[in-house]
Amino acid sequence: MRKSVARRTTVTRSATCAVAAALGCAGLFALPSSASAAAGDLTVQYHAGSTGSDQAEPWLKVRNSGSSSVPLSGVKVRYYFKADSAGPSYRFACSWAVKGCANVTGTFGTLAHPTATADRYLEVGFTSGAGSLAAGADTGDLQLRFYRSDWQSLNQADDYSFGAAQSAYANWSKVTAQLDGAVVWGTAPAGNDPTDPTDPTDPPADGASLFDDFNYSSSSDPKIAANGWSVRSNSGGPGVPGATWAPEKVTFPSSGGNSVMNLETSTAGTGESTKQTEVLTKALKFRNGTYAARVKFSDAPKSGPDGDHLVQTFFTINDLKAPMADDYSEYDFEYLPNGGWGEPSNILYTTSWETYNPDPWQAVNQHTEGRQSYAGWHDLVLTIDNNTIRYYVDGQLFGTHDAAYLPERPMSINFNQWLIDLAGQPSTSPRAYDQQVDYVLHVKDQVLTPAQVAAKLAAYRSAGTTFEDTVPGS
């Protein structure tokens, strides 16, 4: 992981900063405007792909009957149905789409005014990758489906938007369409407004995912490597000169009845006595989508005197192939409990990187910071789509970064804890700090809300799943 003292700048820093950045780089490889159609210029066609009881298959086409192009990212279509019992959640999947399933989203919501034929809806949207819909064109097939999370039978006959006789595409007013928030097609169930916000509590299904609950016996457990992780032992930055990376200081204790990964960093005030820790995926195969982890930051050492300039992290990164290379990518959560990089006290940074030059130091990045204590457990979520990078802390939006910093190449997923320098605490007394990680999750090409992340985590743990990796190699 390349870390530097220039977390808060996009311009050249001093020679001292350049040296620190170069030390960090040594260890790296080891590891819009839119056109709008007039109201009524969108129509939705529907075809009942399935009339069975195991899942519903609303196949849809959206047509632009207007005279100007429409960005599909501004289009939302709602299909209304009645839940089959009080408790079940639902899962969305795209079987096939002319626009590409990766560019189609599905979110469930609850109607404010339930009727005899509808109390829920599926809202279908599009990412910016779906492009625009030209005048007179349609999206082509959207072969969609949804099902109960418990896979029990569902009854489509009492669903408002269902049409058993619709064996071919035809205009269907029992689905609604919105364009940039305005309703332009269809009629919602009586008493309900199609512009009501979604209630995104059911996570999208069928997305390629990495999930790890860090249920291992020790840093030498062969399952760690088999599951695609590397516990770092090679030399190099970031960190103080002479420090080493110590696999034996990565342990897996129990916390709250669940196994967690503990990263310990220790020092006695010299580079040679400093032991740092890092765990990272061996593969660089993660790009757009959702990244999430539950991380415990620490303000105070577990032993010895306090005050070191420590960095506790969760981040994604790829390698810098040349100074200022434009295909470099890095997205960081970094907590400094005792300050550093010119900060006098605790601060949390989120930083999105375009590129950098280690010497002379020059960085191109965007950052958000919170100057307060973040000691304790925190839910960290990072989402990347084709437009925006968003960072969430404990369910709240922490920072939004621009499209200029989107990744061009796949990355690894990393956790590490290391010392910027030894200036914060010059004592030679031994001290040690802990950072803990409860789980990590990546869902490829899907932007999940923090609530959806929590639901997906609960589903894994309810099923007894401690590890899954269905993300294809890059």
Side-chain angles (χ1 to χ4, degrees), residues 369-426:
E369 57 275 334
R371 290 177 173 83
Q372 65 181 65
S373 172
Y374 285 88
W377 285 105
H378 295 283
D379 295 307
L380 309 179
V381 176
L382 159 69
T383 66
I384 304 173
D385 59 21
N386 291 319
N387 291 304
T388 308
I389 304 143
R390 291 185 175 89
Y391 297 86
Y392 297 85
V393 178
D394 297 330
Q396 301 299 310
L397 184 63
F398 185 87
T400 301
H401 295 172
D402 299 335
Y405 304 93
L406 293 171
E408 286 86 5
R409 288 191 292 122
M411 302 169 287
S412 63
I413 297 175
N414 304 50
F415 299 90
N416 69 10
Q417 184 180 219
W418 53 280
L419 291 173
I420 297 171
D421 53 43
L422 296 169
Q425 173 52 271

Side-chain angles (χ1 to χ4, degrees), residues 90-93 104-108 147 200-209 290 443-449 451-453 455-456:
Y90 289 82
R91 300 291 183 264
F92 166 79
V104 180
T105 63
T107 307
F108 295 96
Y147 51 92
T201 55
D202 296 339
D206 295 350
S209 301
T290 300
V443 182
K444 176 179 170 63
D445 295 330
Q446 291 185 356
V447 172
L448 274 61
T449 65
Q452 289 173 318
V453 168
K456 198 165 183 68

Side-chain angles (χ1 to χ4, degrees), residues 253-272:
S254 178
S255 176
N258 189 57
S259 176
V260 299
M261 177 170 67
N262 191 87
L263 306 176
E264 178 188 307
T265 292
S266 62
T267 188
T270 65
E272 293 70 22

Side-chain angles (χ1 to χ4, degrees), residues 145-320:
R145 57 191 173 92
F146 64 91
Y147 51 92
R148 286 176 51 152
S149 58
D150 56 7
W151 279 106
Q152 296 300 305
S153 295
L154 48 79
N155 174 26
Q156 297 192 74
D158 62 355
D159 291 348
Y160 176 86
S161 295
F162 177 65
Q166 290 297 114
S167 58
Y169 281 108
N171 288 356
W172 195 247
S173 63
K174 290 191 173 183
V175 294
T176 59
Q178 300 169 49
L179 177 59
D180 295 331
V183 179
V184 295
W185 174 261
T187 304
N192 291 278
D193 186 345
T195 62
D196 287 341
T198 59
D199 178 20
T201 55
D202 296 339
D206 295 350
S209 301
L210 167 70
F211 171 73
D212 202 326
D213 217 10
F214 295 117
N215 190 18
Y216 301 109
S217 60
S218 69
S219 62
S220 59
D221 189 331
K223 291 191 300 180
I224 296 177
N227 288 346
W229 296 98
S230 174
V231 182
R232 186 174 175 182
S233 60
N234 59 289
S235 61
V240 298
T244 56
W245 299 88
E248 71 277 6
K249 289 186 174 290
V250 177
T251 56
F252 298 90
S254 178
S255 176
N258 189 57
S259 176
V260 299
M261 177 170 67
N262 191 87
L263 306 176
E264 178 188 307
T265 292
S266 62
T267 188
T270 65
E272 293 70 22
S273 68
T274 301
K275 308 294 183 184
Q276 304 178 144
T277 43
E278 181 167 14
V279 176
L280 64 155
T281 61
K282 293 182 285 187
L284 280 72
K285 63 177 185 176
F286 308 97
R287 191 172 171 179
N288 285 16
T290 300
Y291 300 81
R294 184 165 172 80
V295 178
K296 185 178 184 181
F297 296 128
S298 300
D299 277 355
K302 67 177 180 181
S303 62
D306 195 2
D308 288 293
H309 291 156
L310 187 72
V311 185
Q312 301 173 334
T313 75
F314 166 41
F315 66 103
T316 69
I317 195 171
N318 58 32
D319 52 317
L320 182 75

Side-chain angles (χ1 to χ4, degrees), residues 32-34 69-76 99-105 125-133 288 384-390 403 406 445 447:
S33 67
S34 63
S69 177
V70 173
L72 280 169
S73 59
V75 175
K76 300 291 185 185
K99 291 293 184 179
C101 281
N103 296 316
V104 180
T105 63
F126 302 88
T127 71
S128 60
S132 295
L133 195 58
N288 285 16
I384 304 173
D385 59 21
N386 291 319
N387 291 304
T388 308
I389 304 143
R390 291 185 175 89
L406 293 171
D445 295 330
V447 172

